Amino acid sequence: SDRAAFGLGGPKIGSFAASSTSIGAGDSVTLSWEITGATTIGIDNGVGDVTNSTETSVSPSETTTYTITATDADDISQTASVTVTIQAPAELVHKWTFDEEGGAGTTLVDSVGGADGTIVDVGGNDGAVADGKVTLAGGDKGSSDYVRLPAGLVSDLASATLETWSTQHSAQNWSRVFSVGSSSSNVLHMSYSRGGNINQNELRWNAQSNITLQDFGGAPTNPIDERVHWVVTIDDVGAANGNTKLSVFKNGTEVHSGDTTNDLSGLNDADFFLGRSQWGDAAANASWDEFRIYDGVFTPSQIQASSEAGPSVPLAVSLDKTSYSNEEDIVFSWANGMNGKIRDCYLNPGQAGSGGFGGLGGAGGTGGPGGLGGTTGANFLDSTRSCNTGEGGSGGNGGAGGTG
């Protein structure tokens, strides 16, 4: 018709959007729309007729562009589209569990990516690592130790997830949970407080453009001496028009988000601090139980599961005594309270193992776990016969222990 030729009349599509434009495989997203003047409305890619609805849920198996078509009584149609991207599963690339013991200068091991950090000695307000956490005394920036992780950890990633369990012990002026960047004009940081107000906080990203999210997670945002699980996701294609979506989660629940044109490639991550600022702000008086970096975006369900699981707990294996005769049962226990026996394992005092205990083998059914790797000063590895699981029932042999 003439109206169609000149773009006059017909339905009006006020909006067509997805509740999230970036999801994990198997997750769902809600498509919603505002349309007037249409007699029929349909969405392609298997959705079908939605004339009598204003939203619908979809679960694409791959990145999919959905097009909505609205048609009026004169057969004039208007269309709009939205793309839902399926993110590749997030991969853990760095993990610091802070299981070391020591003060300034102590190496903080990255057990996944090998990017070891350290406690930097600045002055009399000391930092130390013990009991599965690194703790900073906090105070004036010029006299307070802090944690430095290596440069270049996130700028090569398209999307990323930062995860930590941390505890604020006292309010310090604008102190940081973390700060990544090279200057106050190129930085991604999260603060425990804004100023000294523990009912306020901030997530800021200054780079190509500036985005600031403030006062999220309730009041106080970081209760004194209470551990909080924080997750920040940086989704390179999660916002409209291909922009980046920045989201923050507290104890498994999303508490704030925003869109930005910033990309991680524009973040000069020469500095990666825990407890220290790119400004002149105070150092944090806080502890960190663990810090992780993922290549990719954790989904909300994954974040919730991680929050419930908590930080890593080292597997502590203990023996019932320190010396055994040949062919004697070795009775051991580990952190989850289970018990078992390793039978028919040679004790070879003259042949030292290469390190600490190897990993436990996986348990079969209700059977006990697999054998232990060697320990310094004694080798429990049996070269002539296997180490059998003991009093675990009929579950079969556990997997072989890791190298000591």
Side-chain angles (χ1 to χ4, degrees), residues 141 174 176 179 183-189 202 204 206 273 276-282:
K141 180 178 180 180
W174 280 102
R176 302 292 194 263
S179 182
S183 68
S184 60
S185 61
N186 192 298
V187 66
L188 171 64
H189 76 230
E202 179 179 275
R204 177 189 292 265
N206 292 349
F273 301 144
R276 185 175 174 88
S277 170
Q278 291 288 352
W279 281 261
D281 305 314

Side-chain angles (χ1 to χ4, degrees), residues 274-313:
L274 304 185
R276 185 175 174 88
S277 170
Q278 291 288 352
W279 281 261
D281 305 314
N285 175 213
S287 299
W288 291 257
D289 292 70
E290 191 161 326
F291 199 95
R292 303 176 185 175
I293 300 175
Y294 298 82
D295 180 358
V297 178
F298 248 24
T299 65
S301 59
Q302 289 173 318
I303 292 170
Q304 179 63 45
S306 185
S307 184
E308 292 174 358
S312 303
V313 178

